[in-house]
Amino acid sequence: MGFGDLKTPAGLKVLNEFLADKSYIEGYVPSQADIAVFDALSGAPSADLCHALRWYNHIKSYQKEKGSLPGVKKPLGQYGPAGVQDTTAAAPAAADEDDDDIDLFGSDEEEDEESKKIKEERLAAYNAKKAKKPALIAKSSILLDVKPWDDETDMTKLEECVRSIQLDGLVWGQSKLLPVGYGIKKLQIACVVEDDKVGTDQLEELITAFEDYVQSMDVAAFNKI
């Protein structure tokens, strides 16, 4: 397993294809698996790798609380599609030395395994408890106006980038192109969101991250369901 060399265009392409039908590297919530792959990248993927860029921007928003995300970091070779070997260049020597210092004062392998087991048990117990609680899920129907830079913007690619955003609690609906003026058309696209999982600010941040295609995003209509 692996993504090849994540510091090269070829490796990023493998990552983009891997994320075409996934929101995260593993599971359905951000975890240490996402942080491990994110930290291996040299920077944001290019706009044409819309799945990888969508994931990158989403995980970037968790940097302040990345240490509290569930799971335990594993070697890059344990993530990604089968049949691909990890060849990502090693981190700088200084970073390795820092890691060594931490290991000197950290827990041993047996303690790490015990800590991992405890975290997994707590997460499983939390999910089981949450699943037993019937709750009314508040949802909203939102109509978004996504504006391109000019009349030469590829609107098909713009819509593809927007729809590549996959979040728990987000479902994309119908769309259409509406004239703005001077030959420019905007994308008007509908979506349904779970209020406690997805907000308009989050959608705007993710959509405008495709800056090669998107000039701005506005909320045209917002209705509670």
Side-chain angles (χ1 to χ4, degrees):
M1 297 175 68
F3 298 100
D5 188 347
L6 284 170
K7 299 187 185 300
T8 67
L12 291 175
K13 183 177 180 182
V14 174
L15 176 63
N16 186 66
E17 293 173 351
F18 179 77
L19 291 168
D21 59 353
K22 300 176 181 66
S23 295
Y24 305 102
I25 299 299
E26 286 185 343
Y28 301 97
V29 296
S31 69
Q32 294 301 321
D34 297 284
I35 298 302
V37 176
F38 180 93
D39 288 345
L41 301 184
S42 298
S46 57
D48 60 316
L49 302 175
C50 55
H51 305 297
L53 181 58
R54 173 262 307 164
W55 167 85
Y56 179 91
N57 289 324
H58 186 46
I59 300 306
K60 184 178 180 180
S61 68
Y62 285 92
Q63 288 305 290
K64 289 184 179 179
E65 60 264 36
K66 67 180 183 180
S68 63
L69 295 181
V72 175
K73 279 188 180 180
K74 296 181 290 187
L76 287 175
Q78 295 188 35
Y79 304 117
V84 180
Q85 183 179 2
D86 173 58
T87 58
T88 304
D96 291 340
E97 292 173 1
D98 290 342
D99 289 343
D100 290 342
D101 290 341
I102 294 173
D103 289 339
L104 289 174
F105 299 98
S107 58
D108 57 25
E109 183 177 351
E110 182 177 349
E111 290 174 335
D112 288 341
E113 288 299 321
E114 182 64 23
S115 176
K116 177 181 178 182
K117 182 179 179 180
I118 292 173
K119 288 181 179 179
E120 289 177 344
E121 289 175 349
R122 287 178 178 174
L123 182 61
Y126 170 78
N127 289 334
K129 182 178 179 181
K130 187 176 180 181
K132 291 179 181 179
K133 288 185 177 181
L136 180 63
I137 300 176
K139 296 183 178 181
S140 297
S141 174
I142 308 176
L143 193 61
L144 303 175
D145 282 345
V146 184
K147 298 176 183 177
W149 288 104
D150 51 41
D151 59 341
E152 296 183 358
T153 300
D154 186 339
M155 297 302 292
T156 299
K157 185 65 177 180
L158 183 150
E159 181 173 355
E160 179 183 335
C161 289
V162 172
R163 289 186 181 274
S164 74
I165 298 172
Q166 300 176 19
L167 300 173
D168 184 23
L170 168 66
V171 178
W172 293 110
Q174 295 182 338
S175 65
K176 59 184 177 181
L177 297 179
L178 298 176
V180 177
Y182 303 100
I184 301 175
K185 293 183 178 180
K186 65 181 178 182
L187 171 69
Q188 189 168 86
I189 185 168
C191 65
V192 174
V193 303
E194 294 184 23
D195 295 346
D196 61 343
K197 294 181 179 179
V198 182
T200 54
D201 289 343
Q202 183 181 14
L203 287 175
E204 182 176 12
E205 178 182 352
L206 294 173
I207 290 174
T208 54
F210 298 108
E211 55 188 19
D212 286 357
Y213 302 99
V214 178
Q215 179 196 66
S216 63
M217 187 215 83
D218 295 313
V219 176
F222 189 105
N223 296 293
K224 296 289 186 180
I225 298 178

